[in-house]
């Protein structure tokens, strides 16, 4: 009899985490590896936020805190939703978790029964299907092609809703494609959802503030107030405030879902760290101008990486509107042979080839549910982007 639970046989470890581990191991062996696989800004946590954390430690905010968030943090989140999203949540409709990932995990554990279906548009963030499987639900993957800017259409949504559908996962700006749903596109999805009152919506807004080209961010619960009682609006400090290591995510959702999620949290991790909560109060209430500065850097890098990739034969890259990833198409590379005679059969082979031949680490599209693509993160220096693109070009030239 296996000592490991059967539950785990259905899921795989996070591939993005795995690739970073592999790249770091190669580095430790002395290889020159450029890692464009990380899902985090390369900027430091702003000083005012770091200082708020020191202050919390020195003032003794080091004890157990409520899992749903300290009163200060709950209030800061409530005000953030009003200020940025015109969403009014009562305090018992708000909760805090150990990162956005943990909020999703708690929500799925709290709501899914075996075989409940969760519609996940692909390409998706790698963890969605596995979290659903861990909670014994059934991911229903809906392929959203490049020709539709990797976004689910109202027609696709409607076709995939069944009596068993429990959730729709929506992520905008998207990881891995950087696509952003416009207000009009969300309104069209909302009009389908209004016909299916049993479907809940997970609106993953974690990249809300990393958005470019004057595009206006919209979220379903605020756009269609009739859907608010079925939406979980997810956000967190990881990406916008450069706080990935602090592990703090939060959400607004109907009271019964929040209360069920709190029950799980109370019997598992209790809460995220009291220090992270104090720092996040400062993140949400403090100056926001550095986000504009960061976005300016990201736009420069985006433009640079997109134009360089589009100059490489075999690769084409559309222009992402948010987040800090590109999701280039590598169809032109599939079927080519390396100088050792190995055929590049898929995007995973291509990523392995890039890592082995040129020391460039990206993530293959299959990990996000749509091939043949790969994801590169441009949350790294201009110098590294430049060097990585030159190496990718050299690697592709050697193939074609
Ligand atoms: C789309 C998306 N949602 C949620 C998360 C979770 O972020 P965290 O757990 O760091 O708050 C991530 C992180 O990469 C993400 O890309």
């Amino acid at each position: 009899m296996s000592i490991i639970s059967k539950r785990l046989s259905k899921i795989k470890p996070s591939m993005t985490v795995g690739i970073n581990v592999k790249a770091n191991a190669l580095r430790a062996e002395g290889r020159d590896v450029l890692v464009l696989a990380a899902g985090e800004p390369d900027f430091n946590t702003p000083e005012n936020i770091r200082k708020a954390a020191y202050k919390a430690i020195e003032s003794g905010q080091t004890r157990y805190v409520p899992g749903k968030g300290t009163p200060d943090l709950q209030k800061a989140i409530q005000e953030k939703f009003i200020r940025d999203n015109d969403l009014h949540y009562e305090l018992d409709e708000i909760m805090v978790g150990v990162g956005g990932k943990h909020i999703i995990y708690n929500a799925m554990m709290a709501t899914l029964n075996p075989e409940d279906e969760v519609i996940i548009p692909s390409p998706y963030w790698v963890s969605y299907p596995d979290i659903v499987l861990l909670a014994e639900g059934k991911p229903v993957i809906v392929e959203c092609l490049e020709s539709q800017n990797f976004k689910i259409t109202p027609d696709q949504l409607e076709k995939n809703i069944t009596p068993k559908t429990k959730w729709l996962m929506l992520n905008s700006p998207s990881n891995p494609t950087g696509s952003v749903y416009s207000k009009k596109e969300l309104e069209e999805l909302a009009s389908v959802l209004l016909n299916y009152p049993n479907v809940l919506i997970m609106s993953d807004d974690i990249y809300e503030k990393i958005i470019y080209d004057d595009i206006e961010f919209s979220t379903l619960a605020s756009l269609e107030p009739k859907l608010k009682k079925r939406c979980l609006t997810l956000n967190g400090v990881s990406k916008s405030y450069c706080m990935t290591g602090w592990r703090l995510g939060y959400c607004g959702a109907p009271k019964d879902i929040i209360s069920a999620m709190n029950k799980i949290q109370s019997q598992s991790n209790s809460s995220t760290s009291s220090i992270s909560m104090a720092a996040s109060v400062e993140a949400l209430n403090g100056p926001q101008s550095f986000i504009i500065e960061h976005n300016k850097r990201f736009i420069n890098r985006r433009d640079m990486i997109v134009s360089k990739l589009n100059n490489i034969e075999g690769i084409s890259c559309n222009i992402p509107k948010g987040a800090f990833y590109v999701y280039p198409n590598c169809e032109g590379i599939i079927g080519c042979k390396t100088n050792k005679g190995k055929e590049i059969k898929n995007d995973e082979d291509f990523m392995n080839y890039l890592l082995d031949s040129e020391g460039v680490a990206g993530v293959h599209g299959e990990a996000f549910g749509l091939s043949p693509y790969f994801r590169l993160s441009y949350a790294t220096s201009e110098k590294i982007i430049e060097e990585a693109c030159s190496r990718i070009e050299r690697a592709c030239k050697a193939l074609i």
Side-chain angles (χ1 to χ4, degrees):
M1 191 170 63
S2 166
I3 53 167
I4 305 301
S5 154
K6 280 191 203 135
R7 201 180 303 119
L8 283 181
S9 64
K10 286 192 186 167
I11 69 160
K12 49 194 181 315
S14 163
M15 285 206 222
T16 43
V17 173
I19 283 156
N20 281 299
V21 169
K22 187 172 164 189
N24 287 333
L26 285 173
R27 265 189 183 152
E29 282 170 17
R31 290 272 318 269
D32 167 23
V33 181
L34 303 176
V35 185
L36 282 81
E40 57 185 347
D42 54 324
F43 309 119
N44 201 359
T45 306
E47 192 181 6
N48 61 313
I49 302 176
R50 301 200 306 268
K51 280 192 171 152
Y54 304 144
K55 200 169 152 208
I57 296 172
E58 293 307 329
S59 65
Q61 294 179 50
T62 50
R63 300 182 182 267
Y64 288 134
V65 278
K68 62 182 185 184
T70 55
D72 282 354
L73 181 56
Q74 282 240 317
K75 194 154 181 296
I77 293 169
Q78 187 179 47
E79 282 166 5
K80 180 265 172 235
F81 276 130
I82 294 172
R83 189 174 59 236
D84 294 347
N85 311 113
D86 196 20
L87 274 175
H88 296 252
Y89 286 110
E90 299 299 328
L91 292 179
D92 57 7
E93 294 177 317
I94 288 172
M95 104 159 247
V96 172
V98 188
K101 188 186 265 187
H102 185 233
I103 295 277
I104 302 171
Y105 175 80
N106 276 342
M108 294 303 119
M109 291 301 279
T111 56
L112 292 182
N113 288 312
E115 296 308 306
D116 279 351
E117 294 176 2
V118 178
I119 298 179
I120 305 179
S122 84
Y124 45 71
W125 179 45
V126 282
S127 292
Y128 291 158
D130 291 288
I131 294 177
V132 169
L133 288 168
L134 202 49
E136 296 182 65
K138 189 172 160 205
V140 174
I141 308 297
V142 180
E143 268 196 6
C144 303
L145 303 178
E146 188 175 354
S147 54
Q148 56 197 79
N149 276 321
F150 306 112
K151 293 184 262 190
I152 192 167
T153 62
D155 202 34
Q156 280 181 311
L157 173 61
E158 184 131 39
K159 280 198 182 115
N160 283 282
I161 295 178
T162 75
K164 288 187 175 170
T165 306
K166 191 81 179 242
W167 287 92
L168 161 69
M169 301 274 205
L170 267 190
N171 172 219
S172 171
S174 145
N175 175 7
T177 64
S179 291
V180 177
Y181 284 85
S182 69
K183 198 167 165 242
K184 184 166 169 280
E185 285 163 339
L186 286 180
E187 277 165 357
E188 286 167 2
L189 294 178
S191 61
V192 173
L193 289 162
L194 286 172
N195 296 329
Y196 298 93
N198 296 327
V199 178
L200 300 167
I201 304 114
M202 163 81 60
S203 178
D204 182 344
D205 300 352
I206 200 120
Y207 295 95
E208 170 185 12
K209 291 183 187 285
I210 307 177
I211 191 162
Y212 316 125
D213 305 337
D214 295 327
I215 290 185
E216 207 188 315
F217 173 81
S218 304
T219 193
L220 264 186
S222 128
L223 206 63
E224 177 44 84
K226 285 194 207 121
L227 288 180
K228 184 170 173 250
K229 58 179 184 302
R230 293 198 264 139
C231 279
L232 185 152
T233 306
L234 167 72
N235 218 311
V237 294
S238 288
K239 315 288 177 176
S240 315
Y241 300 97
C242 314
M243 294 174 72
T244 43
W246 300 72
R247 309 309 303 132
L248 192 137
Y250 59 87
C251 70
K255 198 172 147 183
D256 50 348
I257 297 184
I258 294 289
S259 144
M261 289 166 71
N262 264 320
K263 201 182 208 181
I264 294 173
Q265 183 144 285
S266 76
Q267 293 296 8
S268 50
N269 63 299
S270 293
S271 79
T272 194
S273 143
S274 58
I275 316 301
S276 298
M277 289 199 194
S280 299
V281 172
E282 173 61 21
L284 295 176
N285 290 346
Q288 307 286 306
S289 53
F290 61 86
I291 296 176
I292 298 170
E293 293 311 310
H294 290 173
N295 283 355
K296 278 189 197 149
R297 297 280 304 275
F298 283 142
I299 289 176
N300 276 338
R301 294 163 175 188
R302 174 198 68 172
D303 292 347
M304 182 177 168
I305 198 165
V306 168
S307 106
K308 286 186 181 298
L309 287 169
N310 277 327
N311 275 331
I312 301 175
E313 203 186 329
I315 289 180
S316 70
C317 182
N318 77 353
I319 303 173
K321 300 291 182 191
F324 35 69
Y325 311 99
V326 281
Y327 200 63
N329 184 320
C330 57
E331 202 169 357
I333 301 293
I334 308 301
C336 294
K337 286 211 169 105
T338 69
N339 58 10
K340 290 181 190 143
K342 189 177 177 310
E343 188 184 340
I344 307 284
K345 292 202 189 81
N346 49 42
D347 46 31
E348 185 170 14
D349 284 351
F350 182 45
M351 285 301 100
N352 284 331
Y353 166 70
L354 277 188
L355 188 56
D356 294 340
S357 64
E358 291 286 351
V360 175
V363 186
H364 53 290
E366 200 239 349
F368 307 98
L370 193 75
S371 293
Y373 292 87
F374 58 107
R375 189 195 77 175
L376 298 178
S377 162
Y378 52 89
T380 186
S381 72
E382 287 76 359
K383 196 164 159 245
I384 291 181
I385 292 171
E386 175 125 35
E387 173 63 18
C389 290
S390 304
R391 292 188 192 186
I392 297 171
E393 183 165 19
R394 197 161 55 214
C396 291
K397 273 196 179 139
L399 286 174
I400 292 179

